[in-house]
Amino acid sequence: MKKEPSFQYYASSVHTTTQHDLSSFQTDALVVFLSEGDVGRGKASEIDQATNGLLSKLIEQGELSGERYQCTSLFEPAGLTASHLLIVGLGKREHVDAGVLFRAASSASRQLATSPRSIVTFVADAHWTDTQMEQAVAGAMSGMIGQDLYRSKKKQVPFGKMIWISGKKDEVHNGSLLGDGVNLARHLVNLAPDDLYPESFAEHARAAASKTGMEIEVWDEKKLAQEGCRAMLAVGRGSYRPPRLVLMHYNGRNDSSQPDIALVGKGVTFDSGGLSLKTPDGMLHMKCDMAGGATMLSAASTIAAMKLPINLVAAIGLVENMTGSAAYKLGDVITARSGTTVEIHNTDAEGRVVLADVLDVVRSMNTKRIIDAATLTGACVVALGLDVAGLFTNNQSLCDHVIKSAHDMGEPVWQLPMFPEYDSQIKSEVADIKNVGDGRWGGAITAAKFLEQFVGDTPWTHIDIAGPAFAERPRPWIDGGGTGALVRTLISLARSL
Ligand code: BES
Ligand code: ZN
Ligand code: ZN
């Protein structure tokens, strides 16, 4: 059996220091953040003084601007012991927030990780808020890791050690946990679909659970049948790889009362479309179709690692959507776990069919709120583009809470409507509902309307991450592939419950 690339945690290689003299710091590279216009009064100005006004001079000559995410390397700068000074731009000072710092630190790391380095030192500014500090650290950790899991010679090499000067210890520690969380989600998405399938995903979940002390149950096909998860089983039937449902429990309130929140993820480890087969172009990146599951696994593990005082359940529906001879068919009618009958019009609209059962499982646990994340529809990407996640809800105050958390983390989201007028679109002639809308218009909303049927009265928000979960092309701050989108938002939400 071939060995898949394993995931490595790096939080333990992130440190703070009490040494604050920038000029004599022993490091392979020193990273300093610069706002647009001038060196300001922060740490950049200390570097400027130590180097006899080098930064100011470069700004004056137009060689250095502080433009957002622009990285400028200076080698052997006089006045510093560091042999490499990297200046990363933050853009306009008044627009700097946690998201900008995440991406700026990530850009710097990404640049520096192109060569092996044993120590890289980041200089935090004293006026950053705790959240900004954490997000900068998380960004720096995500930037040093790329998607070249299977490349013999890596394009990006994680630093031996990362040090934060004038970083507060707790925030640097939390930031490093967040960074590991984002990277775990990216890693799982980046694994090849022949390496990551329902059973192997469940093994990753077991590993994450044992690391953070979470309880975990994995339902195999026998248990799924006993539990009436016929919708999940139907989607999985076209593959020789059986489905799994992962349930992770974390009780941070030290009682086992009802979960404060359920994090539900779509874990389609490969989406061929089934008998409603995708085109080759449409299928190429469909290893990413478990990104919702990866997001929830990563968020839950990080929440547990941070020991947040909440009770949580994470539920991930894992299937491979294939075309085997037992595959579910157009015209099939499935009785979902809830008892609702579903007529299948398109086997490529499989995510909602899987989630129907998973949502019903957590609903019957009587959780206070449900959030799901899924690479659910191409229509959501048509509506909002590649960078923005779509939000859909049956409870505006929960959705507002998600919006606020996303805003705090600098992750773009946009809510789409759930007007009752859309309900008629999923009515079926032969069953309670059908698994697609009447036409292709409003496809992200009709998908959400389908999910809504399975949450009952529980406050629920659905996050369609079909756009932001996967980047076909690299960005300055992140390599292509899995992005870890929404992991930070969900953790931020859990911290503010
Ligand atoms: N996994 C896809 C959605 C998707 C598309 C994710 C692009 C990431 C990038 C989903 O299962 C799907 O195929 N949805 C169909 C639904 C349609 C048949 C109603 C779609 O969006 O085309
Ligand atoms: Zn599909
Ligand atoms: Zn899918």
Side-chain angles (χ1 to χ4, degrees), residues 266 268 270-271 278 286 289 321 348-351 375-377:
K266 168 177 174 183
V268 174
F270 185 72
D271 183 9
K278 288 185 181 293
M286 279 304 135
D289 214 19
N321 188 23
D348 197 12
E350 83 298 338
T375 47
L376 204 65
T377 65

Side-chain angles (χ1 to χ4, degrees), residues 386-436:
L386 283 166
D387 293 318
V388 183
L391 300 182
F392 309 81
T393 195
N394 65 358
N395 182 294
Q396 194 55 42
S397 78
L398 177 60
C399 191
D400 287 342
H401 200 157
V402 176
I403 292 171
K404 161 108 183 27
S405 304
H407 181 78
D408 289 348
M409 295 296 107
E411 297 200 276
V413 296
W414 197 258
Q415 187 182 354
L416 292 173
M418 289 284 273
F419 301 130
E421 284 76 3
Y422 293 97
D423 284 316
S424 60
Q425 286 215 31
I426 54 169
K427 292 232 164 78
S428 158
E429 296 298 324
V430 301
D432 299 336
I433 49 174
K434 62 182 193 286
N435 80 327
V436 294

Side-chain angles (χ1 to χ4, degrees), residues 102 132 189 196 220 249 335 369 374 377 380 424 443 447 461 471 476-477 481 488 491-493:
F102 179 92
Q132 289 177 340
V189 170
L196 195 77
D220 62 8
H249 306 271
T335 307
R369 325 168 170 78
T377 65
C380 194
S424 60
T461 296
W477 59 88
R488 294 179 294 126
I491 297 165
S492 167
L493 176 81

